[in-house]
Amino acid sequence: MLTIHHLYADMMNLYGDRGNVISIKKRCQWRGIPVEVIDVGLTERIRPTGCDLFLFGGGQDREQALLAEDLSGSKGADLRAIVEDGGVVLGVCGGYQLMGHSYETPEGQKLPGVGIFDLHTEPRRPKEERLIGNVLVRVRAPETGETREIVGFENHGGRTYLGEDVKPLGEVIVGYGNNGKDGTEGARRLNAYGTYLHGSLLPKNPWLTDQFILNALRRTDESFELEPLDDTTEGRAFSSVAARVAGRR
Ligand code: GLN
């Protein structure tokens, strides 16, 4: 049984990020892989079952302040331990920002992050715009080394800067990414992933969804293989957005 832990499901679901949970669940069910979803709210402990995937989505500064408080104690320590142990975690935008050392709001409130990634997020300056739009990113899939592209939508004021001990998820082909300056998007360390891509991300990027599922299932069975699915519809959705976005190059 694969357990999807949906962290702060009712609070961190900006731009339908819950679609990531639905995509993972359906791609398991279509293959006959038993899967359950557990919502993990404020003050609730994270309880790994041994075959897990942890996701949290995007949210506004107000929700992020509540999360920062909730993750400042043993819950954040549990999440760090899960990552160090190779657990599969995906944070999107506001959730991603809190996987770093800190997220500073435009009002100057510095929220502590969980410290999974060596990165920090600074606020947009008064004259700076929010970073908004469709995004096309080139990702080198670490598991296979092949280069793939992912598409999504970003809307964030925060500018995220990576430290030494973390790799970007990919490089921006079109869009802003982490900060609109250094061409990086997202972050990746062990099996922890962070990205600014809403959309939601996974339904249009089925290969990435399957990579997360496989990484989680192989923690209990290293030889596990996923049977292929007919991704015609997902491929059309990806291509239509990628073509539109790439046309802006
Ligand atoms: N509040 C954060 C920012 O504006 C994240 C927003 C989001 O999750 N889309 O940078």
Side-chain angles (χ1 to χ4, degrees), residues 12 14-15 17 57-62 64 92-95 97 103 106 121-122 130 154-159 196 198:
M12 300 296 277
L14 214 51
Y15 310 113
D17 289 328
Q60 299 299 352
D61 295 358
R62 191 176 58 80
Q64 287 177 281
V92 177
C93 203
Q97 292 169 335
Y103 166 63
T121 301
E122 300 174 0
R130 288 181 67 82
E154 63 185 326
N155 181 340
H156 53 105
R159 271 73 170 156
Y196 271 113
H198 297 284

Side-chain angles (χ1 to χ4, degrees), residues 86-98:
V88 184
V89 180
L90 170 65
V92 177
C93 203
Y96 161 41
Q97 292 169 335
L98 290 175

Side-chain angles (χ1 to χ4, degrees), residues 97-162:
Q97 292 169 335
L98 290 175
M99 290 170 79
H101 298 306
S102 62
Y103 166 63
E104 185 176 348
T105 71
E107 295 70 37
Q109 189 186 9
K110 196 158 189 174
L111 304 177
V114 178
I116 287 169
F117 292 136
D118 177 16
L119 60 84
H120 72 283
T121 301
E122 300 174 0
R124 66 189 175 97
R125 302 290 168 229
K127 291 193 172 44
E128 289 182 326
E129 298 295 323
R130 288 181 67 82
L131 303 179
I132 300 175
N134 288 310
V135 197
L136 184 63
V137 178
R138 185 176 296 112
V139 177
R140 195 183 62 76
E143 291 71 9
T144 59
E146 57 182 332
T147 299
R148 313 285 296 255
E149 292 182 351
I150 56 176
V151 286
F153 174 80
E154 63 185 326
N155 181 340
H156 53 105
R159 271 73 170 156
T160 295
Y161 296 92
L162 304 183

